[in-house]
Amino acid sequence: MRRIPCLRVYQTSVGFGIIVLTMGLLGHHRMSVAAEGVKELGPPVDVSFIARLDGTEQRYVIQKPRDSREDQPYSLLIALHGHGSDRWQFVNDGRGECRAARDAAAQHQMIYVSPDYRARTSWMGPAAEADMLQIIDDLHQQFRIEKVIVSGGSMGGTSAMIFAALHPEVVDGAVSLNGTSNMAEYEGFPKEIAESYGGTKADVPAVYRARSAELFPERLTMPVSFTTGGRDTLVPPDSTLRLAAAMKDRGAPVNLLHRPEGGHDSSYEDSLQAFEYVINKALAVPELTPRITLKEGPVKVVCLGDSVTGVYYHTGGRRAYPEMLEVGLRKILSREDITVINAGISGNTTQDGLNRLDTDVLAHHPQIVTISFGLNDVTRIPLETFRANLELLTKRCRDAGSEVILCTPNSVITTASRPIEKLLTYCDTIRAVGREMNAPVCDQHLSGTKLLRRAPWTWRLTLSDEIHPNMAGHKRMAEELCRTITGKGVSLDQVGPLHPSLPRLASLLKEDRPIKVLAMAPYNELIGNAIKNLKPTAQVEVSGWEPKGKSIAALEAESKALVRNLKPDLVLLAVPRSASAKVDEEFVRNFSWIMNWALSFAHQEWDCIVIHPSVADPDSKGSTDETYRQLVHAQDLGLIDRKPDDRATAAELLSNGIKQAVE
């Protein structure tokens, strides 16, 4: 692999007498701005959101790389404005710092975000911190975010370091242009900062201390760049120089560009070098020898596992991560001769996997076998037996000529039967077997835990219940397996439900057989005509389900009691906005289980489609409207929704939605 040197960055510090020349080596896909053709960001989009902290409307601007693709993961560069400015400064301003941020994001094909972060005089107070966490979490829901870099100038540079020190688990790199690193000693803008921090230094000293990055160098293990000026009187450089020295002493990847004669600004060249240092280090991917070699000709993969591997209600009952793995591998490799066979069975342990290995796996003569157990073993298979079973599974697959990938189980919500502490010991055993037997490990648990730490709400929306991921979670699991097999990233988030999304209804209409429907009101009065619009001779029997006036918990209980006992051909779920919950977690849990209970246990025996509240009530909006959409998408079910400004009647939308779902 050809190696390309980074831009040379001369680092000079005043007060501790260090002059450092930094030369980095990059992989061929991470080149400096000077080494590649110019790339551009797409048009800015102004985004409003409701802050979870206090319900206020807040804003940020986002720019995606021009010609970005939905099936690709991207890294994120956040640029924080200076004192007295707003979100548009780093989007439109022509000063060197702002241009350098935009150019660096464009050249490295990063998503570029510039938030208001609460106020023109924010200085990363507690409310701004909460908004930043929410923005990052929300962006993880919208995109496959690989790395997060925070940056800014002056107040923004200060705020970037504050946020990095407060949340190192969220940040992969930071760029501070002419900022301070010690709010406890900074004397500028005392009135404005006190308003943002909830009091003066005397009133709330802990808040000021917590926002003094200089005091926490041990947290700053990510790549960091500073620019400072020796004659900067607005934001004096002393604390930043001390922090840079402390980080260097700890061996942290720190890059200081200090200009002794400089003031409160950084040139375009210095700013760009600061960004290049951090981005190149944060986004660098080590060159690895491929652990899996795909042979010429058709590729066959068998995924052996438990209910998380198999096809069950929690992913919509038609596919799971093995089926998504096939989609992902075909996207990455641009090949159609790839087959992935799902050999997951609910309740299975490694012992069950051994018992059915010959018939369910090796009989298919796979090139690759993925092995994913642990969630059931942890409840009934001793750890040493678990290890021995994994070793034997790996040996028998290899003896049959298959390559093996071991998978840790997905991250879960702790329960009495599956405490996370115990599950971690089984994950460690899987990793140990992988090392000892030289088998690749797809660390699904580590990947999920990382997502939980940096985007907890995004992570929560990937779960159907305490231990089973929904299809949103399965797509992420498939992406991890794709990366393990090919070394390349892919996003499967935009892969929609299978077509037709109502296959049983389509089959019954084609065969002219009677159709039994269970429908929430008011659609129990409309679905008969919607089906007869497709086929006037259709025989439709409709059972109504009245959701009005009921809590979402009550509707979950009714879904559990009604659907699987009735075994209809089609279920129409239409949970109204009035079926609300006191907290978001309650809504997610209950709504997920309404869908879970509306499906058969394993492969789908009947159809289910969900109708958004906007269809019946277009003139209102609910706080859970978007979560409603996200959860239906995560369940891999069809959704009948109303587009903005669409004034069609509910009957028309239902009829059109059913027609599209059977075609």
Side-chain angles (χ1 to χ4, degrees):
M1 180 187 73
R2 186 167 63 97
R3 297 193 171 199
I4 297 172
C6 296
L7 290 170
R8 294 187 178 185
V9 180
Y10 289 95
Q11 304 174 331
T12 308
S13 68
V14 172
F16 49 90
I18 301 174
I19 300 177
V20 181
L21 171 64
T22 299
M23 278 291 279
L25 292 176
L26 308 179
H28 67 279
H29 63 296
R30 299 295 185 199
M31 294 194 277
S32 69
V33 174
E36 282 190 4
V38 174
K39 296 185 176 70
E40 295 180 346
L41 294 172
V45 178
D46 199 18
V47 178
S48 67
F49 66 97
I50 302 302
R52 297 191 191 105
L53 178 72
D54 55 10
T56 59
E57 183 183 65
Q58 302 296 328
R59 290 185 174 273
Y60 63 86
V61 179
I62 183 170
Q63 292 178 268
K64 294 188 290 184
R66 194 173 294 278
D67 302 322
S68 62
R69 293 169 46 185
E70 291 182 336
D71 62 352
Q72 291 296 313
Y74 290 95
S75 289
L76 172 65
L77 178 60
I78 300 176
L80 302 175
H81 64 79
H83 186 98
S85 295
D86 63 12
R87 63 192 180 281
W88 292 103
Q89 183 187 45
F90 267 81
V91 176
N92 294 328
D93 201 303
R95 64 193 298 161
E97 296 99 324
C98 302
R99 288 192 295 115
R102 297 193 295 267
D103 287 352
Q107 190 63 22
H108 291 274
Q109 295 289 277
M110 302 176 74
I111 294 172
Y112 186 64
V113 170
S114 182
D116 272 343
Y117 69 111
R118 279 291 157 155
R120 292 176 179 268
T121 55
S122 166
W123 295 92
M124 197 54 68
E129 175 193 354
D131 285 357
M132 282 279 288
L133 290 170
Q134 182 177 341
I135 290 169
I136 292 171
D137 204 327
D138 289 350
L139 290 169
H140 272 280
Q141 292 173 42
Q142 299 174 47
F143 308 100
R144 289 297 188 263
I145 303 296
E146 292 193 316
K147 300 293 179 68
V148 177
I149 294 174
V150 294
S151 67
S154 189
M155 179 183 79
T158 303
S159 296
M161 293 310 302
I162 291 172
F163 189 79
L166 286 170
H167 299 284
E169 74 284 357
V170 175
V171 177
D172 299 294
V175 178
S176 176
L177 308 172
N178 303 105
T180 182
S181 299
N182 194 318
M183 294 304 294
E185 73 173 26
Y186 181 56
E187 299 296 335
F189 309 105
K191 181 180 178 181
E192 293 88 346
I193 294 172
E195 183 176 352
S196 178
Y197 285 15
T200 65
K201 295 174 186 177
D203 297 329
V204 287
V207 176
Y208 286 78
R209 187 180 189 281
R211 282 157 173 74
S212 298
E214 180 191 353
L215 305 181
F216 307 101
E218 71 280 0
R219 299 179 186 174
L220 301 172
T221 58
M222 72 290 290
V224 175
S225 273
F226 300 104
T227 65
T228 54
R231 296 189 176 184
D232 186 349
T233 57
L234 187 64
V235 184
D238 298 353
S239 63
T240 295
L241 298 179
R242 295 193 300 265
L243 175 58
M247 292 178 64
K248 179 180 180 297
D249 288 343
R250 300 181 68 87
V254 58
N255 177 41
L256 173 66
L257 291 94
H258 179 72
R259 301 300 183 191
E261 302 301 317
H264 188 61
D265 60 0
S266 295
S267 68
Y268 174 83
E269 291 74 19
D270 280 359
S271 300
L272 186 58
Q273 288 183 12
F275 279 103
E276 284 290 297
Y277 175 86
V278 170
I279 293 173
N280 284 326
K281 283 190 171 294
L283 273 59
V285 178
E287 185 180 14
L288 299 175
T289 302
R291 304 290 298 279
I292 296 293
T293 303
L294 295 177
K295 300 175 183 177
E296 294 294 329
V299 175
K300 186 179 291 183
V301 182
V302 176
C303 297
L304 177 64
D306 48 32
S307 61
V308 173
T309 300
V311 177
Y312 293 92
Y313 61 86
H314 50 266
T315 57
R318 299 181 71 185
R319 54 188 178 174
Y321 76 76
E323 289 73 18
M324 287 292 107
L325 174 62
E326 183 173 307
V327 174
L329 289 175
R330 290 184 176 190
K331 281 180 176 288
I332 292 173
L333 301 174
S334 299
R335 293 171 58 176
E336 294 298 318
D337 59 345
I338 297 171
T339 303
V340 179
I341 297 170
N342 192 322
I345 294 182
S346 178
N348 269 204
T349 65
T350 48
Q351 188 59 55
D352 298 303
L354 282 168
N355 293 342
R356 58 188 181 88
L357 184 65
D358 289 332
T359 57
D360 291 6
V361 179
L362 301 183
H364 296 290
H365 305 290
Q367 181 181 342
I368 300 170
V369 177
T370 73
I371 300 172
S372 180
F373 290 105
L375 289 176
N376 296 314
D377 295 77
V378 77
T379 66
R380 54 185 185 269
I381 300 293
L383 193 59
E384 286 307 311
T385 304
F386 176 69
R387 173 190 282 268
N389 288 346
L390 280 179
E391 292 171 347
L392 186 54
L393 281 166
T394 302
K395 181 179 184 303
R396 286 179 59 187
C397 288
R398 285 176 168 174
D399 288 346
S402 301
E403 297 194 65
V404 174
I405 298 174
L406 301 176
C407 303
T408 58
N410 54 282
S411 55
V412 303
I413 297 173
T414 192
T415 59
S417 60
R418 293 178 179 87
I420 290 175
E421 295 78 9
K422 187 175 182 181
L423 181 60
L424 287 174
T425 63
Y426 282 71
C427 291
D428 286 340
T429 298
I430 295 168
R431 296 175 188 122
V433 171
R435 288 192 302 271
E436 293 163 11
M437 300 191 71
N438 196 30
V441 175
C442 180
D443 206 333
Q444 302 284 11
H445 194 275
L446 178 61
S447 176
T449 301
K450 285 182 177 179
L451 181 63
L452 168 61
R453 288 172 178 168
R454 66 173 50 196
W457 190 239
T458 299
W459 176 82
R460 178 62 185 89
L461 294 180
T462 66
L463 289 177
S464 175
D465 56 31
E466 285 81 2
I467 64 169
H468 293 104
N470 54 30
M471 181 53 80
H474 276 247
K475 287 176 180 177
R476 289 179 181 270
M477 294 177 72
E479 291 162 8
E480 285 299 312
L481 265 172
C482 282
R483 194 184 299 274
T484 300
I485 293 171
T486 70
K488 297 178 181 178
V490 67
S491 173
L492 299 170
D493 183 58
Q494 297 303 316
V495 177
L498 290 170
H499 294 290
S501 56
L502 298 180
R504 181 165 179 79
L505 177 59
S507 175
L508 293 175
L509 286 170
K510 183 178 180 180
E511 298 169 6
D512 203 21
R513 294 169 57 193
I515 300 163
K516 185 164 61 174
V517 181
L518 174 63
M520 284 187 173
Y523 302 100
N524 57 317
E525 302 291 336
L526 304 175
I527 185 60
N529 286 336
I531 294 175
K532 287 179 180 294
N533 286 340
L534 296 174
K535 189 168 188 177
T537 60
Q539 305 171 57
V540 185
E541 176 191 339
V542 181
S543 298
W545 180 359
E546 180 57 68
K548 187 176 180 180
K550 297 173 183 174
S551 69
I552 194 164
L555 291 177
E556 183 210 321
E558 290 184 355
S559 185
K560 180 179 180 180
L562 280 173
V563 183
R564 293 184 185 176
N565 286 328
L566 184 63
K567 295 185 186 225
D569 299 306
L570 173 63
V571 179
L572 270 68
L573 296 178
V575 177
R577 293 189 180 102
S578 59
S580 58
K582 293 180 180 178
V583 295
D584 290 341
E585 168 60 31
E586 181 184 353
F587 178 84
V588 169
R589 184 177 63 252
N590 290 139
F591 188 71
S592 295
W593 272 106
I594 289 171
M595 292 187 290
N596 287 341
W597 293 121
L599 301 164
S600 56
F601 179 73
H603 281 82
Q604 276 317 290
E605 302 170 34
W606 56 81
D607 293 336
C608 180
I609 196 166
V610 185
I611 306 172
H612 193 270
S614 63
V615 172
D617 187 12
D619 297 322
S620 301
K621 288 186 178 180
S623 61
T624 57
D625 276 10
E626 189 54 36
T627 304
Y628 198 113
R629 294 183 179 97
Q630 290 172 320
L631 290 173
V632 177
H633 179 64
Q635 196 82 14
D636 211 25
L637 294 179
L639 174 67
I640 299 176
D641 202 351
R642 182 184 294 274
K643 295 180 180 179
D645 302 322
D646 188 340
R647 305 309 297 178
T649 66
E652 291 170 336
L653 290 172
L654 177 64
S655 185
N656 291 335
I658 294 296
K659 180 180 179 181
Q660 293 172 12
V662 299
E663 291 179 344

